[in-house]
Amino acid sequence: MRDAAARSRTGLNSKSPQTPEQADTRVKVSLHHLRSLEGRARKLTLLPSQPVTSVLNGRHASRLRGRGLNFEELRGYLPGDDPRTIDWKVTARTGEAHVRVYSEERDRPALLVVDQRMSMFFGTRLNMKSVTAAEAAALIAFRIIDRGDRVGAVIFGDGYVSEFRPKRGRTAVNRFLTALDRANRMLHAEAPRVEHPLFLNQPLTSVARLARRDHLVIVISDFDGLDDRTGKLVGTIARNNDVILCPVTDPISEDVPRNMKLVVSDGELQVELDTGTTETFRKLSDFASGRIAEILRWQQKYGTPVLPLSAGSDTIDQLRRLMGLRSRPREAPNE
């Protein structure tokens, strides 16, 4: 392969892109980076019994159901059995004490819904939103597998939806991380424009089909492109599953700067927005706050916990705070 251009296209050029260890993981993730998060995921917990400082703690609207109990058998009462397990109807009908025996569910499939659309390829302080979403998904996936549960995913971009049915073990995680890495690498400033980019409804429709009941569904997205049907899909999924919503935002959307000229582009056309004008500033602020307000309405209506993530802060530290855990000191670079 003597042609220099051909060597560059195939990655064989000596001046090829940086290795995963050298690449700036604030802009693009890599398979190496995602796998390196495994050790930091071990202290995370998605159990229903949460510390009081956790956003998952509280009353009916914010507590997860967690693992349930499977009925195994009905048998005669034995000394030492918990009286609370006595089936009084059967006892009254037979004249002898009977108890209902349950076993804890050992398998709870999880479905990670990860947004990698171009709207996520944006960041002003630390990470691109797409990076924060990928890191959070990888950390949660490692924790789910450590608990012995199955993990699946719905990864979506502007023009595709990739589905992975929940499976158990290291192979499932590697398959998920590889697909996540591939989806993230498709995001770049010169990516071809998709004429009709996907709204959130298409991937949520996939979730509704894959997660019929008793799944843990975690949606990690900037929730761009909401409409009335989006809320109905969330409600349908939440009816028989536990759903956690993780809106990913950038600090600039949380506090729109005044007197700044912003250039916004869809890849072909661009427009300049002047936040110094009162009308433009008000519309941008209303747009940013309105999306979060809609998600919070879902929390109240459907009981879906909301774990907000910011691309301006370390992902693992945010997850630990949201779970009510103290953040660990950051490791020294040379360690």
Side-chain angles (χ1 to χ4, degrees):
M1 211 176 281
R2 296 178 180 178
D3 185 280
R7 292 177 64 85
S8 295
R9 286 195 299 270
T10 55
L12 298 177
N13 197 307
S14 59
K15 294 182 179 180
S16 58
Q18 294 173 310
T19 62
E21 293 83 353
Q22 296 171 325
D24 190 343
T25 55
R26 298 171 301 175
V27 178
K28 291 284 189 71
V29 297
S30 67
L31 191 55
H32 171 83
H33 173 63
L34 294 176
R35 286 172 174 166
S36 72
L37 298 173
E38 181 173 7
R40 304 185 70 186
R42 293 195 178 103
K43 292 297 182 181
L44 295 177
T45 178
L46 295 172
L47 290 171
S49 179
Q50 296 289 332
V52 292
T53 54
S54 169
V55 296
L56 298 182
N57 186 43
R59 306 184 75 175
H60 62 282
S62 61
R63 184 181 291 277
L64 299 180
R65 286 185 286 262
R67 297 173 187 263
L69 296 176
N70 285 325
F71 173 72
E72 275 200 352
E73 63 174 333
L74 189 67
R75 60 165 173 80
Y77 179 85
L78 297 174
D81 284 340
D82 189 338
R84 291 175 297 183
T85 64
I86 294 177
D87 188 316
W88 294 107
K89 290 184 178 179
V90 175
T91 298
R93 188 167 63 249
T94 62
E96 297 181 359
H98 282 74
V99 296
R100 299 178 71 86
V101 180
Y102 295 89
S103 62
E104 184 183 11
E105 289 179 350
R106 294 299 180 185
D107 176 59
R108 188 184 188 213
L111 205 60
L112 302 177
V113 187
V114 191
D115 190 346
Q116 294 290 288
R117 294 176 293 177
M118 278 301 294
S119 65
M120 297 285 287
F121 193 59
F122 179 81
T124 61
R125 189 168 300 175
L126 179 64
N127 290 339
M128 293 293 198
K129 293 190 293 182
S130 52
V131 168
T132 295
E135 289 181 338
L139 288 161
I140 294 170
F142 281 125
R143 192 67 192 98
I144 290 168
I145 289 296
D146 282 346
R147 284 175 48 81
D149 289 332
R150 291 177 289 157
V151 64
V154 173
I155 303 172
F156 64 101
D158 287 293
Y160 67 91
V161 177
S162 298
E163 301 177 0
F164 300 88
R165 290 187 177 276
K167 292 187 177 180
R168 190 181 289 103
R170 178 70 50 181
T171 301
V173 173
N174 285 334
R175 184 186 58 162
F176 166 61
L177 296 183
T178 300
L180 191 54
D181 167 54
R182 185 166 56 247
N184 187 261
R185 281 191 280 112
M186 293 171 64
L187 298 176
H188 54 85
E190 298 179 356
R193 180 175 176 267
V194 177
E195 186 174 353
H196 300 292
L198 292 180
F199 282 2
L200 196 58
N201 294 344
Q202 287 93 326
L204 288 180
T205 300
S206 295
V207 172
R209 176 168 42 80
L210 294 172
R212 295 291 185 181
R213 61 182 304 108
D214 298 331
H215 282 61
L216 174 62
V217 178
I218 302 176
V219 184
I220 309 173
S221 170
D222 63 359
F223 290 87
D224 182 41
L226 303 182
D227 58 23
D228 292 340
R229 184 165 179 257
T230 312
K232 293 177 182 177
L233 282 167
V234 170
T236 298
I237 297 167
R239 190 174 301 122
N240 296 312
N241 302 280
D242 281 323
V243 178
I244 300 177
L245 305 176
C246 299
V248 183
T249 60
D250 183 83
I252 199 172
S253 66
E254 300 161 11
D255 185 15
V256 178
R258 293 300 300 257
N259 301 316
M260 178 180 282
K261 293 185 177 180
L262 305 173
V263 177
V264 182
S265 172
D266 64 356
E268 292 186 355
L269 303 176
Q270 67 179 37
V271 63
E272 184 179 88
L273 301 176
D274 185 358
T275 62
T277 64
T278 302
E279 182 67 11
T280 300
F281 178 80
R282 182 185 63 78
K283 288 184 177 179
L284 287 174
S285 298
D286 291 347
F287 176 78
S289 60
R291 191 180 299 177
I292 294 297
E294 182 66 19
I295 296 170
L296 292 177
R297 278 195 288 272
W298 296 343
Q299 180 184 37
Q300 294 298 317
K301 187 173 182 179
Y302 305 121
T304 53
V306 175
L307 274 64
L309 295 171
S310 171
S313 301
D314 181 77
T315 308
I316 183 65
D317 286 347
Q318 291 184 80
L319 286 175
R320 290 178 62 83
R321 284 196 303 270
L322 290 168
M323 301 302 174
L325 303 170
R326 289 187 296 179
S327 297
R328 288 180 172 179
R330 192 180 300 276
E331 296 177 356
N334 295 328
E335 293 181 356

